[in-house]
């Protein structure tokens, strides 16, 4: 089912979503001429990168942000520039082959030009993380349940942005 994991994001007249064609990858559909194409092949072959599986898709300007998996770094934060068609890994939070699973409990949330999401670095459990889309920096916001235990922000009620404040 196209958009089954992360939903569908609209940029201009183009829809972006994940779809299965032997592997799950990022696809696009141009509504003005009914053309579909694979926008990115992050993890070639089966099972694919499963873009948006944990955190869905969000956009800042013309750039999509989402979680995706590759065969070297597990599930991490990725981006796709809809104007140039380029796709890149934004951060390897759980460095190496471990997965940080950004957005696992509360999705990926946009506040201004910052993304907020729950992720793990493999040492301190699931905590609140952010990515500044202008500065290109990613870091832990808070280790609420200090140490290796999870704080799991947003697990039960999600995270909500009101103006420039995240709740």
């Amino acid at each position: 089912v196209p958009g089954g994991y992360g939903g569908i994001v609209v940029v201009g007249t183009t829809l972006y979503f994940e779809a299965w064609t032997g592997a799950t990858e990022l696809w696009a559909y141009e509504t003005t001429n009914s053309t579909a194409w694979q926008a990115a092949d992050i993890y070639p072959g089966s099972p694919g990168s499963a873009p948006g599986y944990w955190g869905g898709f969000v956009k800042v300007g013309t750039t999509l942000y989402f979680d995706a998996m590759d065969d070297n770094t597990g599930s991490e934060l990725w981006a796709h520039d809809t104007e140039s068609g380029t796709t890149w890994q934004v951060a390897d939070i759980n460095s190496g082959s471990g997965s940080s699973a950004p957005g696992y409990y509360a999705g990926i949330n946009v506040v201004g030009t910052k993304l907020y999401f729950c992720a793990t670095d493999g040492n301190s459990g699931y905590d609140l993380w952010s990515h500044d889309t202008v500065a290109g920096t990613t870091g832990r916001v808070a280790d609420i349940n200090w140490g290796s235990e999870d704080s799991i922000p947003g697990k039960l009620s999600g995270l909500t942005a009101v103006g420039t404040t995240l709740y």
Side-chain angles (χ1 to χ4, degrees):
V1 176
Y5 290 150
I8 297 173
V9 176
V10 180
V11 179
T13 58
T14 305
L15 310 178
Y16 289 88
F17 52 91
E18 106 315 304
W20 171 264
T21 58
T24 306
E25 291 294 347
L26 180 64
W27 281 76
Y29 176 80
E30 175 53 53
T31 62
T32 60
N33 63 13
S34 301
T35 304
W37 68 94
Q38 186 174 357
D41 190 7
I42 296 168
Y43 189 165
S46 188
S49 66
Y53 184 79
W54 300 116
F57 296 99
V58 297
K59 70 177 178 172
V60 177
T62 58
T63 302
L64 303 179
Y65 292 90
F66 53 93
D67 61 285
M69 174 179 60
D70 71 11
D71 59 345
N72 295 315
T73 60
S75 179
E76 297 293 346
L77 185 62
W78 285 74
H80 177 78
D81 183 323
T82 62
E83 290 182 339
S84 68
T86 57
T87 306
W88 67 96
Q89 186 179 70
V90 172
D92 185 8
I93 295 168
N94 190 347
S95 127
S97 62
S99 293
S100 70
Y104 178 49
Y105 288 105
I108 300 172
N109 302 269
V110 179
V111 179
T113 58
K114 289 189 177 180
L115 310 177
Y116 291 91
F117 50 91
C118 183
T120 181
D121 63 4
N123 296 314
S124 61
Y126 283 93
D127 293 310
L128 185 62
W129 285 73
S130 72
H131 174 72
D132 185 321
T133 63
V134 175
T137 56
T138 305
R140 182 183 301 110
V141 174
D143 187 1
I144 298 166
N145 192 1
W146 193 81
S148 62
E149 297 297 318
D150 296 329
S151 62
I152 314 174
K155 179 179 180 182
L156 299 178
S157 59
L159 299 171
T160 302
V162 178
T164 59
T165 304
L166 184 71
Y167 295 95

